[in-house]
Amino acid sequence: MDKTLLTSREMQSILAGLRSLDSVSGTSRYKQLMDKLAMGNSSILTSNSHILIDLSSWYKSCLAPKIELIQAAIDAREYISFAYFGPSGESRRKLEPYLLVFQWSSWYVWGFCLMRQDYRLFKLNRMVDLECCQEVFDKRILPPYENEADRPFPIRYLVKARCKPSIKWRIVDEFGPETLEELPDGDFMFTAGYSDKENLFCWILSLGDQIELLEPCEFRRELAELGRRVYEIYR
């Protein structure tokens, strides 16, 4: 590869991408590739890039082997199987893996699920007993992968809540400043779409007495009952 075709800035962009993959890799594959690109000019590995992408997480020790196994299965066109924990319970799945996806701050595998007879996205953190079946499948004509942000989390509820100034930072961090409107008394009105009632309740409870859910109004009684049951545990 003639490196004179690449400017220093372009090479640093390539290295930034490789470093991001290296942050979750359980092998030296990407380090070796960076060494190859820098052959004869080791100073290029001393990053002067203004971008650092770190894809690692608290789960790196268990994620890296999963990523490596799934990559190998995709290359070999071999089924993978795993136990999966989802909202509807635990199930055993067999999958034609086609794509590793890093999205919504987590790793996923996308492929054709034999149980559902359709394409599905599975979160790696919810997969256990992952194994390669060493059984080759015929690659399908794939539909485009749809990665719109609201596709897996469709908006079902319009949420309104009164918030204290002490949690403004958290709402800005999680939902953006445009979801807040300052009220005359110094509190804030939070307005946003939400996809899941259970997650909404968990989020409201995590903010303690610094927030009051106003809408959907029918959730208020359920939330109060949930609070009563929590109180009974800790009283």
Side-chain angles (χ1 to χ4, degrees), residues 141-207:
I141 299 175
L142 300 176
Y145 171 69
E146 303 289 347
N147 64 347
E148 292 89 347
D150 61 348
R151 183 176 176 84
F153 311 110
I155 301 301
R156 293 189 175 94
Y157 310 109
L158 177 64
V159 174
K160 288 192 175 184
R162 175 182 282 267
C163 310
K164 296 296 183 183
S166 60
I167 60 171
K168 179 181 178 181
W169 67 272
R170 183 164 161 187
I171 295 176
V172 168
D173 178 34
E174 297 178 9
F175 294 92
E178 65 277 2
T179 61
L180 289 174
E181 176 187 353
E182 188 167 4
L183 301 174
D185 61 1
D187 285 353
F188 291 89
M189 182 63 69
F190 166 73
T191 305
Y194 224 92
S195 63
D196 182 81
K197 181 173 69 172
E198 285 71 26
N199 283 332
L200 171 62
F201 282 14
C202 290
W203 181 71
I204 292 288
L205 290 173
S206 75
L207 295 170

Side-chain angles (χ1 to χ4, degrees), residues 114-173:
L114 271 63
M115 174 187 286
R116 301 301 185 194
Q117 286 295 298
D118 200 359
Y119 295 93
R120 289 290 189 270
L121 193 66
F122 295 96
K123 192 173 185 177
L124 266 59
N125 278 349
R126 297 182 182 176
M127 298 163 59
V128 298
D129 299 328
L130 172 65
E131 59 184 13
C132 182
C133 300
Q134 297 183 335
E135 178 185 350
V136 176
F137 60 83
D138 293 326
K139 186 174 181 179
R140 299 171 187 270
I141 299 175
L142 300 176
Y145 171 69
E146 303 289 347
N147 64 347
E148 292 89 347
D150 61 348
R151 183 176 176 84
F153 311 110
I155 301 301
R156 293 189 175 94
Y157 310 109
L158 177 64
V159 174
K160 288 192 175 184
R162 175 182 282 267
C163 310
K164 296 296 183 183
S166 60
I167 60 171
K168 179 181 178 181
W169 67 272
R170 183 164 161 187
I171 295 176
V172 168
D173 178 34

Side-chain angles (χ1 to χ4, degrees), residues 100-120:
L100 269 168
V101 181
F102 183 80
Q103 197 167 8
W104 311 295
S105 302
S106 296
W107 282 95
Y108 300 81
V109 59
W110 179 78
F112 190 84
C113 176
L114 271 63
M115 174 187 286
R116 301 301 185 194
Q117 286 295 298
D118 200 359
Y119 295 93
R120 289 290 189 270

Side-chain angles (χ1 to χ4, degrees), residues 15-34:
L15 291 175
L18 291 174
R19 288 190 185 96
S20 71
L21 292 173
D22 197 48
S23 66
V24 292
S25 174
T27 69
S28 58
R29 175 191 306 171
Y30 301 107
K31 178 64 168 63
Q32 292 171 351
L33 182 51
M34 286 188 282

